Amino acid sequence: MHELIDSLFMKEFANKTLNAKNDSAILKIGNKKMAFTTDSYVVNPIFFPGGDIGSLAVHGTVNDLSVCGAKPLFISLGMILEEGLDRAVLEKISRSINAAAKKAGVSVVTGDTKVVEKGSCDKIFINTSGIGEIFYDGLSVNSIRPQDAVIISGPIGEHAISVLSKREGISFNTSVKSDSAPLNGLVRKALAVSGRIRFMRDPTRGGVATTLSEMVERARFGICVDEKAVPVTEQVRQACELLGFDPLYLACEGRVIIVVDSRDAGKVISAMRKDPLGRKAKIAGHITKEYKGKIYLDTLSGGRRLVTMLSGEQLPRIC
Amino acid sequence: MHELIDSLFMKEFANKTLNAKNDSAILKIGNKKMAFTTDSYVVNPIFFPGGDIGSLAVHGTVNDLSVCGAKPLFISLGMILEEGLDRAVLEKISRSINAAAKKAGVSVVTGDTKVVEKGSCDKIFINTSGIGEIFYDGLSVNSIRPQDAVIISGPIGEHAISVLSKREGISFNTSVKSDSAPLNGLVRKALAVSGRIRFMRDPTRGGVATTLSEMVERARFGICVDEKAVPVTEQVRQACELLGFDPLYLACEGRVIIVVDSRDAGKVISAMRKDPLGRKAKIAGHITKEYKGKIYLDTLSGGRRLVTMLSGEQLPRIC
């Protein structure tokens, strides 16, 4: 997938904006700098503990805008429905979209609905595109410097475990709820206290490991992650042991990785902890001059190992 | 569908922008007025005479922006792919998207790709959202006045017949090519010669009849259409007779309906005819004080009949 996007799309649609490979495109519109992003959602099942495809579609796009330093403003809603989809299901999802948009302070301003025959799509797919106004300029992988702190805003992997356990009918002692949430409030609090935040990204598909791998790709720095400082709940850890997953590769939908000048890391953490979504925020690693282009993990067991990007398929239909 | 959108979505997502029910949302961004739109494409087959799902996805969004008086600028691209889709197919579609975007003068600035298991989607679905800058203000159903002329830019129904004949394996004497095309150039020419253009809309799903029906809904005017002035090619007419369709209900993807003060209709037609896409532009009807909320057709056979919105299903997966 990663190879496909790189080789095919980037070549075909080569232009400066797309090549920046941000979660959002940064556009000059009149006297404003705007962010523009799109995401399709194909999560299966469409309802899972802690959310559904509707709220997920809003949060995902709100978060893609937020991590670019933008205030999310407007959202579009494209739905593809399978013929025969229960009207009650559609109503529930619509209410969920609406509630999520209200909570995140964005307006659904334009939409489109297509219906395909039974069997031509799995229940419902949703695309949301979003427009936001940049209020914090210069967030970029290129701003990252050795010694910078790597903050993770909260426990990782809950979204993936929630969706997987619902899909596979696996239950744990208590059900794991998705972390799906709008990050704009939390991000704003962090950005308000430091002018030295370098870069942010929400670790969705492929989790923290994949997000960090994308950061170090072709970079002149490496990342050292302290496994014991990575927030993971006991439930997620147990589920991972049972299912053979590494939490570092599991998708989050309401967590953010923030790279910040280490001198400001303390006050950014304090600010984040004042937000319900950032209560468990932690410095989980730092940028290194060594290990150029690589990520090293200081493991719980006291060793040090290389973290690589998933070579095979990532978990399908997790978002 | 129409009822579903009206009753469910409009109620759920009630806000001023969405309620305007334009093809695009009109947004104030800084010192600019922008249009924002989204559309998903599920056309079957994905390749048809005159185009494919890729070019169609670009044209559709370019056209939705154009008919709002906006210059299309930026496009997002969300793809949902069925596992196992031939890479050559994907390459062909990507090239087609790129060529269509270049021709229309828009940049694909952000994208997303999801892959679902075989059987969970039919080959490929594409969502394009677009942002354009409004350069012609005030286009609105509310600006329409009795006596205004209703112009159709060219022969109708070719897109629908092209897709249907490919899908059903029906061939006519010569193959009908889709009219799928970017309308921004044509629209700009029309808008350049008259400050009294009231409203524009591209007659896609449900064709001219549905677009006009949406215009007269709750309006204080009616529309009288002169059937013999409606541009239809002989091939489309024959295909319609064979298949039992009324060309008025067939989707176009490169045609525009323009409502203009009748005093300016002549010069608008002349300007449009200078564009290859507008060579067959014609005044096909006019706005009436009578028939409030209704459309009357002066038929080829000399009668007069009411044109209604399709009550059943429109042709599925035509775009």
Side-chain angles (χ1 to χ4, degrees), chain B residues 111-160:
Chain B
D112 173 60
T113 309
K114 294 288 190 311
V115 179
V116 297
E117 324 86 280
K118 219 169 164 55
S120 289
C121 100
D122 189 4
K123 296 184 198 75
I124 175 169
F125 297 153
I126 298 181
N127 176 284
T128 47
S129 300
I131 299 177
E133 184 180 344
I134 305 274
F135 65 92
Y136 193 100
D137 224 342
L139 293 170
S140 161
V141 169
N142 301 325
S143 308
I144 296 175
R145 299 282 171 267
Q147 315 301 338
D148 285 349
V150 177
I151 295 171
I152 299 179
S153 66
I156 62 172
E158 289 169 315
H159 175 70

Side-chain angles (χ1 to χ4, degrees), chain A residues 1 9 12 15 31 39-40 87 95 98 108 112-114 117 120-122 125 127 129 205 317, chain B residues 7 9 12 15 31 39-40 87 95 98 108 112-114 117 120-122 125 127 129 205 317:
Chain A
M1 194 64 195
F9 296 149
E12 198 62 62
N15 65 52
N31 55 352
D39 259 307
S40 298
R87 195 191 157 104
R95 276 197 302 272
N98 200 22
V108 177
D112 172 61
T113 309
K114 294 288 188 312
E117 324 85 281
S120 290
C121 101
D122 189 6
F125 297 152
N127 176 284
S129 300
R205 273 192 287 180
R317 299 188 61 184
Chain B
S7 75
F9 295 149
E12 199 61 61
N15 64 53
N31 54 353
D39 258 307
S40 298
R87 196 190 157 105
R95 277 197 301 273
N98 200 22
V108 177
D112 173 60
T113 309
K114 294 288 190 311
E117 324 86 280
S120 289
C121 100
D122 189 4
F125 297 153
N127 176 284
S129 300
R205 273 192 288 180
R317 299 188 61 185

Side-chain angles (χ1 to χ4, degrees), chain A residues 135-149:
Chain A
F135 65 91
Y136 193 99
D137 224 341
L139 293 170
S140 161
V141 170
N142 300 325
S143 308
I144 296 176
R145 299 280 170 270
Q147 317 300 339
D148 286 350

Side-chain angles (χ1 to χ4, degrees), chain B residues 41-59:
Chain B
Y41 296 85
V42 297
V43 65
N44 172 28
I46 55 178
F47 298 101
F48 47 83
D52 58 56
I53 191 170
S55 54
L56 184 66
V58 174
H59 296 157

Side-chain angles (χ1 to χ4, degrees), chain B residues 295-311:
Chain B
I295 303 159
Y296 271 83
L297 185 74
D298 285 333
T299 63
L300 287 171
S301 53
R304 172 165 282 194
R305 71 170 171 87
L306 193 62
V307 177
T308 54
M309 214 180 285
L310 280 191
S311 53

